[in-house]
Amino acid sequence: MDEERALYIVRAGEAGAIERVLRDYSDKHRATFKFESTDEDKRKKLCEGIFKVLVKDVPTTCQVSCLEVLRILSRDKKILVPVTTKENMQILLRLAKLTESDESLEKVSEFPVIVESLKCLCNIVFNSQMAQQLSLELNLAAKLCNLLRKCKDRKFINDIKCFDLRLLFVLSLLHTDIRSQLRYELQGLPLLTQILESAFSIKWTDEYESAIDHNGPPLSPQETDCAIEALKALFNVTVDSWKVHKESDSHQFRVMAAVLRHCLLIVGPTEDKTEELHSNAVNLLSNVPVSCLDVLICPLTHEETTQEATTLDELPSDQTAEKETVLKNSTMVYNGMNMEAIHVLLNFMEKRIDKGSSYREGLTPVLSLLTECSRAHRNIRKYLKDQVLPPLRDVTNRPEVGSTVRNKLVRLMTHVDLGVKQIAAEFLFVLCKERVDSLLKYTGYGNAAGLLAARGLLAGGRGDNWYSEDEDTDTEEYKNAKPKEELLKPMGLKPDGTITPLEEALNQYSVIEETSSDTD
């Protein structure tokens, strides 16, 4: 009945009546996502009637009401086949200012029309294969980038940027060809990085360092949403960027990594929005070539180094809270390097572990990122080793028992999800410089057996990667409780990793027993 009444007014009424009836329809069905199949034909005709109104010279408020209803109806995939035509797509592109002209965005009254047109296009392109093909034919990606360039530095039109970026994300998600076009032809990587810089209001202090105001206000909801959409679009653009082939590529990825470092050190309007923002930043960092991730850490300035050394001594003994703050900040410094971003990633990882669900989607990206950073960058590995695997003093409890980060990661080494337990074990193995004896010290033989068997290291040894030699970190507690080396090797295993015959293993065991009894 609603569709029938609205269709009658749209066909025969004047602009004011059309606006009123469509506003009522929009208010009633704003939260409708499932539609009755019996009214499918009426909804198709209503869509067609709305497009006929949109080509007329009607007031802006009437256009907005038409587009709001069209957005609601476009949630139904069944009605989009006859509605999605090249002519109708061009109507929406014109209303969204998606043209290749240099026309600027000056009329504030038109902004609601632009936003609603972009919302309609997001739904239609996502739900209709015909619309996806027409997007390629109409070169929609280039038009979206052109619109972004018009508004990238203008904060008061965040809604336009947000839905432009969302549509760009949808297009690059559905078409791999558009990813390549965005990356090379349309220079999408620097453009989207500049959008992030604008959303975060970044002020550069060095080539790859930005000023961080820890006492500054959080991002606004609009800025946060805009940044999240830009991060998602950038992820699609860079999804195949495993290697850097040109110096210009290396520079651009380092700039993007520096922006992402800034992203990790700021907060959104709510805790959930902050987590979503950081989650998308982690996903994008996974696409950055590992050689460019060194910008996640930066040397302390002379002033910071001096303050680090003197602040604690200067504070009066009764200022406990201030001292705790200084001590907390000092845990983010290692070997003269600022480790704030790595500390945030480590906390993010622990929060995802504590959630106890969706490990593959939520935990493996950050674990994989920390693993690759540790493997490629010595300072990052040493800092993470210091935080995750501090000198072992508790030698009475099993490695998986407890609430430390090490205990949580060791428990993941026997998780039912193969991918989760592999990346957790790999992370700890890299922190141990791929040395079997060091890994066993922190995890125990049973927890590490899966990784060692997969790598052919059950008999001991180390992995293929080279790491610098560090000093002995064994504590007195561990040295006293450390078992004999022979007990770490499974019975019946030769030095080359092959299994010995059972009779030979039993004879070897008998010799050990006799030797032990003689020395008692």
Side-chain angles (χ1 to χ4, degrees), residues 26-233:
S26 175
D27 292 340
K28 185 174 181 179
H29 296 280
R30 194 174 302 279
T32 301
F33 290 88
K34 292 184 179 180
F35 300 87
E36 295 292 336
S37 58
T38 53
D39 296 326
E40 184 178 316
D41 188 58
K42 294 176 183 177
R43 290 196 299 276
K44 290 179 182 177
K45 291 179 179 178
L46 180 57
C47 283
E48 292 170 347
I50 287 174
F51 274 109
K52 289 178 181 178
V53 173
L54 289 173
V55 297
K56 298 177 182 178
D57 185 17
V58 295
T60 299
T61 53
C62 182
Q63 288 180 324
V64 171
S65 296
C66 288
L67 290 166
E68 285 178 346
V69 173
L70 185 61
R71 170 171 53 84
I72 292 170
L73 295 175
S74 63
R75 297 168 182 168
D76 184 6
K77 296 182 180 181
K78 296 178 181 178
I79 71 165
L80 291 179
V81 174
V83 172
T84 308
T85 64
K86 185 175 182 179
E87 180 183 0
N88 289 341
M89 288 286 287
Q90 288 174 326
I91 292 172
L92 291 174
L93 294 184
R94 176 178 56 80
L95 292 172
K97 300 297 182 183
L98 291 172
T99 63
E100 295 178 353
S101 67
D102 293 329
E103 180 184 1
S104 61
L105 301 174
E106 296 295 341
K107 295 182 180 179
V108 178
S109 60
E110 293 180 344
F111 290 174
V113 175
I114 298 173
V115 171
E116 283 300 327
S117 300
L118 288 169
K119 290 179 181 179
C120 289
L121 284 168
C122 286
N123 281 358
I124 293 172
V125 170
F126 184 74
N127 289 323
S128 170
Q129 290 187 350
M130 177 62 70
Q132 293 163 21
Q133 293 301 320
L134 287 170
S135 299
L136 295 174
E137 183 180 337
L138 295 169
N139 200 15
L140 180 55
K143 292 178 170 64
L144 288 168
C145 288
N146 190 44
L147 180 60
L148 277 178
R149 290 187 177 92
K150 293 178 183 178
C151 61
K152 66 182 179 182
D153 295 322
R154 301 175 65 176
K155 291 181 177 294
F156 59 89
I157 50 178
N158 272 324
D159 283 344
I160 296 178
K161 287 193 285 188
C162 183
F163 289 102
D164 185 307
L165 290 164
R166 183 171 298 179
L167 184 51
L168 205 57
F169 165 72
V170 171
L171 280 174
S172 56
L173 177 69
L174 297 171
H175 287 288
T176 55
D177 291 344
I178 288 182
R179 297 176 196 170
S180 179
Q181 181 190 14
L182 280 170
R183 174 76 187 278
Y184 300 106
E185 179 185 335
L186 301 175
Q187 295 297 302
L189 187 56
L191 173 62
L192 293 171
T193 303
Q194 289 168 12
I195 294 293
L196 282 177
E197 287 184 48
S198 175
F200 298 147
S201 302
I202 290 181
K203 296 179 181 178
W204 296 104
T205 59
D206 203 344
E207 187 176 18
Y208 303 121
E209 291 182 35
S210 61
I212 305 293
D213 183 6
H214 294 291
N215 298 318
L219 290 178
S220 69
Q222 295 80 10
E223 289 169 338
T224 306
D225 289 339
C226 186
I228 289 171
E229 295 301 333
L231 290 169
K232 289 158 61 177

Side-chain angles (χ1 to χ4, degrees), residues 360-377:
R360 182 173 286 272
E361 298 81 11
L363 177 62
T364 54
V366 66
L367 262 178
S368 178
L369 173 63
L370 289 174
T371 302
E372 292 306 314
C373 284
S374 300
R375 184 177 278 124
H377 303 289

Side-chain angles (χ1 to χ4, degrees), residues 14 29 221 231 237 304 328 338 416-417 423 465 468 517 520:
E14 49 86 30
H29 296 280
L231 290 169
V237 172
E304 289 174 326
K328 180 181 177 182
N338 186 322
V416 293
D417 190 309
I423 190 60
N465 293 288
S468 61
S517 61
D520 284 342

Side-chain angles (χ1 to χ4, degrees), residues 285-350:
L285 279 169
S286 300
N287 288 349
V288 177
V290 69
S291 60
C292 300
L293 291 176
D294 56 341
V295 300
L296 290 178
I297 60 177
C298 56
L300 294 177
T301 63
H302 177 71
E303 292 77 9
E304 289 174 326
T305 304
T306 304
Q307 183 180 5
E308 182 73 23
T310 61
T311 305
L312 271 175
D313 295 331
E314 293 175 353
L315 285 173
S317 58
D318 58 341
Q319 294 187 13
T320 307
E322 288 79 358
K323 285 196 172 187
E324 287 180 353
T325 302
V326 174
L327 286 170
K328 180 181 177 182
N329 291 335
S330 68
T331 64
M332 303 181 196
V333 175
Y334 187 86
N335 199 24
M337 304 295 287
N338 186 322
M339 294 286 178
E340 283 183 290
I342 305 301
H343 191 79
V344 170
L345 290 173
L346 188 59
N347 287 340
F348 180 84
M349 178 199 72
E350 188 172 7

Side-chain angles (χ1 to χ4, degrees), residues 413 422 425-426 428-429 439 447-457:
M413 294 175 75
Q422 283 180 338
E426 184 77 11
L428 292 174
F429 195 43
L439 180 68
N447 294 314
L451 173 76
L452 299 181
R455 286 175 166 260
L457 294 172

